[in-house]
Amino acid sequence: MPPSRDEGPDSGQVVLSDGSTALLRIAQPSDADELQRFVERLSPEARRHRFFSETTPPAEVIRTLCDPSDPRRSLTVIALRRQDGTLRVIASGSYHARDPHQAEVAMAVDDRLHGHGLGTLLLERLALLAVRHGFTRLWAITHADNVAMREVFASSGLPMEEHVEGGDMEVELSLTPTDHSVRQSEWRERIATAASLHPLFHPQAVAVIGASRAPQSIGYRLLDALSSNGFCGRCYAINPHAATIAGIHTYPSLRALPEPVDLAVIAVPKDAVLSVVDDCAATGVRALVVITAGFAEVGAEGRRLQDQLLEKVRQQGLRMVGPNCFGILNTDPAVRLNATFTSTFPLAGSIAMSSQSGALGLALLAASERLQLGLSTFVSVGNKADVSVNDLLQYWENDPATNVILLYVESFGNPRRFAQIARRVSRNKPIVVLKAGRTSSGKRAAGSHTAALAANDVAVEALFQQTGILRAETLEDMFALAAGLSDQPLPKGNRVGIITNAGGPAILCADACEASGLDVPELSQATVTHLASFLPPAAALRNPVDLIASADPEQYAQAIATLLKSDDIDALIVLYIAVTATDVAPIAEGIKKGILEARATAPVNKPIYIGWMVETDRERRFSFVNETIPTFALPELPARTLGKIAGYVQWRERPAGMVPDFDDLDLSTVTRICHDALTARGDGWLTTAETRALLNAMSIPLPPGGVATSAEEAALLAEQIGFPVVVKLASHTLVHKTEIGGVHLNLNTKVEVRHAFEQIAARLAQDQSLEAMEGVLVQPMVSGGVEVMAGMVQDPSFGPLIGFGLGGIHVEILGDVRFRITPLTELDAADLIRSIKGYRLLQGYRGHPPGDVDAIQELLLRLSRLVEEVPEIVELDLNPIFAMPPGQGCRIVDARIRVGKIA
Ligand code: COA
């Protein structure tokens, strides 16, 4: 199966700085001949730079380069692209171990493709692979005049040291990612992705292939939608059996067109799609929208066809939306592209929208028209074989026409990448996600508390929390958020004023405000006095301001203007429930008047929402020259919407947070322990001694002590540590120790320690499981402090989830544990600690001293780093951890780590 474009370091498509693409993968023995030809095609100078000789290296050398069997020794990555009908190597790079930590790198790029970022992409890929195979540094030697290579090293952003001697330059790169190196590569990918999607949204010429003569058919409707909505470029119909369709001259094939087209919309039967894509590549098409269904969504055979389609698309350097999609739209007046089969052409506006369901996409477009929501672009992503939501986010990030992003998502292709991108994009443009379906991380048999508690949907919830995404629960929510974000200013705070003509709706609205984290404050005396000057005595002047049933248009106008101009609130919700039918239109006028007056004179623009509860006038819109006021038929939705938006504003105002670096980690020891355990025993828990050594290598604080294999050794160890001590069964196979009498607390003498050892051994012997005993762990008796726990579980699609909560027995009874996805920034860690219900215990409660929150935070950050660096760690539980009073750190009393082979 060809790789998906978001896949890990082994293979996948990359986008060059000119927007074209190439396939990057590890060289295999079968690539030797093509690699040899590539080396022969290189200029003598390029060969000299790569191989220190202008002559072509012998076939034996090339064969070694193509041998991926021992990645701890060497690996070669090649970049491929189809040229003149043949798949050609256009660049290659290799690393070779100099020692277990350092590898030499060398690379060469086709002379004609210099300057497109391919060298840097290769280096990045090699660096990722090298890290995975235990290297921490890359080393290169090049001719000092090889300026291009030097630039590649410098632009990687990896910390670099260089040393020039004679005509040669030695370069050493550290593979520990720094914040700077991560930012550099993100920048490159973002720019390149946006460039590659440009022809999709801004084509000069479009062909509909499979335009059909039957007016009800999809092919006919596609052509009609494109040609009748004022597309600003040229549009062509392709059908071998017709001369004209819908009054448009028709061509038998792409090859017969008078000019090349940038975008092809494909609606031919599924068996014809592959050959049509060949035609597209041959005639210079740059982007495809494949409407045709019958691919991965229909089962194994369709999946195979989709794999072949994707392979062609990648090899030809095309970009493709779909297959099995409903099309794309761009409302830009200079483009007006409707490449869908609906004739609806939405209002131009600032909302970009993507839907994973075609049918829902149709409904979304219809609703946006009904609600007068202005769209910038719309993409039905279909099977997401090539263009993914991650690509679209990066495109919209740079798209000046887009200010708000709406996503209907059923599954995340690469959630970790999504998290990275969304976290960045959300800082400038709000992302609203309606997520259907649930994750299944909690379904597997749970061997640790962390795994048991990582129930359904926690990963998605954590993802949204950490990335500032506004989660819509329903379609209605999604549109309400879209309207609020695109049509109104963002609130500067969370204080809401409510104006109403009836008590009931106002109470419901105020309750919904508070439940959504908003504040409905009492108004200042100045505001109350002013309201009293024009409202009847029966009116309520605090907040909500109840104008009572007799409210007239002028009172609405004045109350609205008064509240919007006051400093008491950051946002306003105006409610109106119909009293008599004849009042409705004048009241609407009064509301408009109040808003316009405040907009003309108030110093700060505050968001306004309307609850218009008038059955006979449900479609009313409050639209002025410059703005539309989001209007809802019930009082709670404006409150909930405003609450989510205010939460987003708060998230955005927080600093971005950093993933901290630690300089006291011994990652090679950690990797070695996991590797050795896997080699010796396969998947499973580490032994107590391995667990302790691993945590020590991460500088994660453990109480003194160790594993003793005899009663006497245990007694001596206890004496060294100092009494009282704890003696616990050390076993990587018997996980629940207390139940089998494996834990002896508060032992005060050597005799007691010996006795504890013997009792544990006797009990295991009785159960015929003595061989499971590695020995006993002897550690000091820890007391005091707040019992918490921390752990990690791998979500099948989200990667590591870090959990934190109250520890010990509380975990089982209360389940007060929250999760975050990795990597954790220091703000994520701080927020995670504060998100549990039991946080008050850590602040000190009823005479109990507080816990060392800083120490816990550091522990969580070290855990995050550990599980990010060592994917072989699949589950981890530190429970309980005693959080000692501030400044005294924390003590991990029990630790379990499970390793597994990476799939
Ligand atoms: N090049 C150009 N035109 C071609 C062609 C080719 N290689 N092969 C066929 N055609 C023409 C046909 O002549 C026909 O035109 P005509 O009606 O004037 O004769 C037209 O393309 C369509 O072919 P047809 O045989 O009618 O195909 P179809 O009934 O299978 O419909 C699709 C084509 C794409 C609509 C259909 O296969 C499909 O996938 N439908 C589902 C689409 C969908 O639901 N997508 C997801 C939405 S969310």
Side-chain angles (χ1 to χ4, degrees):
M1 188 178 78
S4 89
R5 64 173 290 100
D6 289 323
E7 259 181 11
D10 291 350
S11 61
Q13 194 190 29
V14 288
V15 184
L16 276 52
S17 60
D18 62 352
S20 66
T21 57
L23 191 69
L24 232 57
R25 65 170 167 76
I26 294 175
Q28 304 296 322
S30 57
D31 294 315
D33 290 348
E34 178 46 33
L35 187 61
Q36 179 87 41
R37 284 192 285 275
F38 164 70
V39 174
E40 282 162 12
R41 282 195 300 274
L42 288 173
S43 65
E45 198 200 358
R47 268 199 301 275
R48 184 172 63 86
H49 282 319
R50 168 64 181 86
F51 297 101
F52 285 83
S53 156
E54 293 189 359
T55 54
T56 311
E60 185 48 37
V61 171
I62 301 284
R63 264 201 301 281
T64 317
L65 288 178
C66 294
D67 174 6
S69 61
D70 186 1
R72 284 174 187 260
R73 181 177 56 81
S74 69
L75 266 188
T76 294
V77 174
I78 49 176
L80 295 149
R81 182 182 277 178
R82 195 163 287 278
Q83 287 173 340
D84 312 324
T86 313
L87 198 57
R88 294 240 157 95
V89 173
I90 52 171
S92 93
S94 311
Y95 72 68
H96 302 267
R98 299 184 85 206
D99 62 45
H101 306 293
Q102 191 185 61
E104 176 175 357
V105 278
M107 58 184 82
V109 174
D110 186 325
D111 294 75
R112 290 164 302 173
L113 289 168
H114 285 184
H116 294 338
L118 200 46
T120 311
L121 288 164
L122 263 183
L123 177 64
E124 224 169 77
R125 198 59 63 113
L126 284 169
L128 283 167
L129 287 162
V131 166
R132 190 192 269 191
H133 296 294
F135 297 97
T136 53
R137 289 184 307 281
L138 291 180
W139 179 90
I141 183 158
T142 97
H143 291 294
D145 61 349
N146 191 350
V147 184
M149 205 55 230
R150 198 195 162 276
E151 260 173 31
V152 164
F153 290 131
S155 72
S156 72
L158 295 167
M160 172 168 118
E161 276 174 32
E162 45 188 344
H163 177 64
V164 180
E165 198 172 298
D168 292 335
M169 177 178 64
E170 283 183 37
V171 176
E172 193 171 303
L173 298 169
S174 161
L175 293 179
T176 316
T178 61
D179 224 43
H180 177 66
S181 61
V182 170
R183 268 203 308 273
Q184 284 243 345
S185 69
E186 292 219 336
W187 179 83
R188 242 188 339 269
E189 185 186 326
R190 181 168 17 141
I191 301 301
T193 302
S196 76
L197 296 187
H198 191 78
L200 200 60
F201 293 113
H202 297 265
Q204 304 286 320
V206 180
V208 177
I209 309 173
S212 158
R213 288 161 290 183
Q216 292 314 313
S217 69
I218 287 183
Y220 183 96
R221 280 152 58 198
L222 279 167
L223 183 63
D224 184 51
L226 184 64
S227 61
S228 64
N229 280 299
F231 174 52
C232 301
R234 274 97 48 213
C235 120
Y236 296 101
I238 310 286
N239 183 322
H241 310 114
T244 59
I245 296 174
I248 295 173
H249 175 70
T250 304
Y251 295 83
S253 82
L254 275 177
R255 295 171 199 263
L257 288 182
E259 63 167 335
V261 298
D262 319 276
L263 173 66
V265 183
I266 300 178
V268 296
K270 73 175 189 330
D271 294 330
V273 171
L274 294 188
S275 72
V276 164
V277 173
D278 284 338
D279 282 1
C280 290
T283 56
V285 171
R286 298 180 62 197
L288 311 174
V289 171
V290 181
I291 305 288
T292 308
F295 290 86
E297 80 283 4
V298 297
E301 200 186 317
R303 151 74 57 192
R304 271 194 295 280
L305 189 63
Q306 181 166 313
D307 290 345
Q308 289 167 15
L309 170 63
L310 183 59
E311 204 174 347
K312 272 191 190 299
V313 165
R314 298 240 160 115
Q315 285 174 1
Q316 311 288 1
L318 299 164
R319 298 306 313 257
M320 169 178 73
V321 171
N324 183 35
C325 78
F326 151 68
I328 64 170
L329 274 158
N330 182 1
T331 64
D332 180 343
V335 180
R336 290 192 64 87
L337 172 74
N338 183 353
T340 72
F341 49 88
T342 170
S343 54
T344 303
F345 197 80
L347 279 178
S350 62
I351 303 170
M353 191 153 80
S354 138
S355 174
Q356 200 173 334
S357 143
L360 203 71
L362 255 172
L364 292 175
L365 280 183
S368 68
E369 194 184 32
R370 180 167 48 80
L371 300 170
Q372 304 264 290
L373 292 175
L375 300 191
S376 57
T377 33
F378 167 86
V379 181
S380 156
V381 287
N383 293 0
K384 300 188 291 182
D386 177 42
V387 172
S388 65
V389 172
N390 292 351
D391 292 327
L392 292 171
L393 278 182
Q394 297 189 82
Y395 177 80
W396 287 325
E397 181 178 19
N398 289 307
D399 175 24
T402 296
N403 289 328
V404 179
I405 297 167
L406 298 195
L407 308 175
Y408 169 76
V409 174
E410 284 167 3
S411 62
F412 293 98
N414 181 346
R416 286 171 63 72
R417 187 77 192 113
F418 177 82
Q420 279 171 352
I421 299 169
R423 210 193 269 252
R424 189 183 70 219
V425 176
S426 283
R427 296 238 144 233
N428 297 316
K429 300 186 182 183
I431 305 172
V432 179
V433 178
L434 177 58
K435 164 82 177 67
R438 304 263 139 176
T439 63
S440 58
S441 55
K443 282 192 191 145
R444 81 187 67 84
S448 69
H449 295 305
T450 313
L453 290 161
N456 289 345
D457 214 37
V458 292
V460 176
E461 203 48 56
L463 171 80
F464 290 2
Q465 281 264 346
Q466 285 167 268
T467 52
I469 285 177
L470 294 104
R471 186 172 198 170
E473 307 295 341
T474 59
L475 277 175
E476 192 187 29
D477 247 15
M478 181 163 172
F479 286 120
L481 286 164
L485 289 162
S486 68
D487 293 339
Q488 289 294 299
L490 293 174
K492 301 251 180 302
N494 63 351
R495 300 166 309 158
V496 184
I498 301 171
I499 294 176
T500 182
N501 67 337
I507 294 170
L508 291 175
C509 181
D511 284 351
C513 280
E514 275 169 24
S516 315
L518 297 168
D519 187 17
V520 184
E522 286 232 353
L523 301 175
S524 65
Q525 195 50 50
T527 307
V528 171
T529 309
H530 189 62
L531 287 170
S533 69
F534 58 85
L535 290 177
L541 305 181
R542 299 286 158 187
N543 192 13
V545 175
D546 188 350
L547 311 178
I548 63 173
S550 61
D552 66 24
E554 193 51 33
Q555 286 165 346
Y556 258 103
Q558 286 196 44
I560 289 169
T562 306
L563 259 66
L564 285 176
K565 286 191 226 169
S566 83
D567 285 337
D568 303 345
I569 57 160
D570 303 300
L572 178 66
I573 298 176
V574 180
L575 302 175
Y576 175 68
I577 187 156
V579 181
T580 67
T582 48
D583 286 345
V584 170
I587 293 284
E589 283 311 308
I591 291 175
K592 274 190 185 178
K593 184 178 164 200
I595 294 172
L596 286 174
E597 188 199 320
R599 289 292 193 234
T601 53
V604 181
N605 253 2
K606 295 172 185 171
I608 307 167
Y609 292 75
I610 296 179
W612 187 251
M613 288 157 282
V614 184
E615 272 306 311
T616 52
D617 188 32
R618 292 175 67 102
E619 299 303 314
R620 182 172 294 275
R621 297 280 159 261
F622 290 83
S623 291
F624 314 127
V625 187
N626 294 323
E627 70 175 303
T628 299
I629 310 291
T631 303
F632 306 92
L634 291 168
E636 296 94 341
L637 189 53
R640 280 210 308 271
T641 306
L642 198 50
K644 284 191 175 159
I645 295 177
Y648 165 68
V649 172
Q650 273 169 22
W651 177 87
R652 201 160 94 153
E653 280 168 359
R654 284 171 30 179
M658 291 263 294
V659 177
D661 220 356
F662 295 99
D663 54 14
D664 55 357
L665 309 180
D666 179 0
L667 286 167
S668 48
T669 297
V670 173
T671 314
R672 185 185 44 73
I673 293 170
C674 296
H675 179 256
D676 291 352
L678 276 168
T679 313
R681 304 189 300 273
D683 295 9
W685 297 96
L686 295 186
T687 65
T688 306
E690 286 164 347
T691 304
R692 288 180 68 82
L694 188 151
L695 293 174
N696 274 328
M698 290 303 289
S699 299
I700 288 178
L702 283 171
V707 178
T709 51
S710 69
E712 196 45 41
E713 206 185 320
L716 286 174
L717 203 51
E719 194 170 41
Q720 281 165 20
I721 296 166
F723 294 100
V725 296
V726 178
V727 168
K728 279 191 243 175
L729 166 65
S731 169
H732 67 281
T733 47
L734 300 174
V735 176
H736 300 289
K737 301 184 180 75
T738 313
E739 287 83 337
I740 52 166
V743 181
H744 293 244
L745 302 175
N746 225 354
L747 309 179
N748 284 300
T749 63
K750 286 168 76 173
V751 174
E752 284 177 12
V753 169
R754 274 192 217 100
H755 186 59
F757 184 99
E758 279 150 10
Q759 269 193 323
I760 293 173
R763 171 69 190 266
L764 291 192
Q766 185 191 332
D767 294 352
Q768 294 182 344
S769 49
L770 192 57
E771 75 288 352
M773 182 167 171
E774 291 151 19
V776 294
L777 175 67
V778 185
Q779 58 182 194
M781 178 79 197
V782 181
S783 58
V786 183
E787 271 188 72
V788 293
M789 60 88 60
M792 184 280 297
V793 58
Q794 289 276 356
D795 181 276
S797 43
F798 284 77
L801 292 175
I802 298 274
F804 172 75
L806 287 187
I809 55 162
H810 300 302
V811 167
E812 285 146 48
I813 297 170
L814 303 175
D816 184 16
V817 176
R818 294 283 177 280
F819 291 86
R820 293 289 183 269
I821 50 176
T822 60
L824 295 184
T825 64
E826 76 282 51
L827 287 177
D828 290 331
D831 183 56
L832 174 56
I833 296 169
R834 283 156 187 79
S835 70
I836 63 166
K837 292 198 194 85
Y839 176 62
R840 287 177 68 192
L841 288 175
L842 283 167
Q843 291 174 299
Y845 190 68
R846 297 221 172 150
H848 281 278
D852 192 338
V853 171
D854 290 347
I856 299 172
Q857 180 168 326
E858 186 178 327
L859 170 67
L860 293 173
L861 291 167
R862 284 178 186 271
L863 273 189
S864 161
R865 181 71 193 277
L866 168 68
V867 299
E868 280 280 303
E869 295 279 349
V870 191
E872 288 84 0
I873 297 180
V874 292
E875 198 171 338
L876 183 155
D877 223 6
L878 307 180
N879 180 32
I881 304 165
F882 284 82
M884 307 311 279
Q888 295 180 32
C890 53
R891 315 262 187 280
I892 298 166
V893 168
D894 221 333
R896 270 184 275 165
I897 298 175
R898 193 161 70 82
V899 289
K901 291 214 172 60
I902 317 170

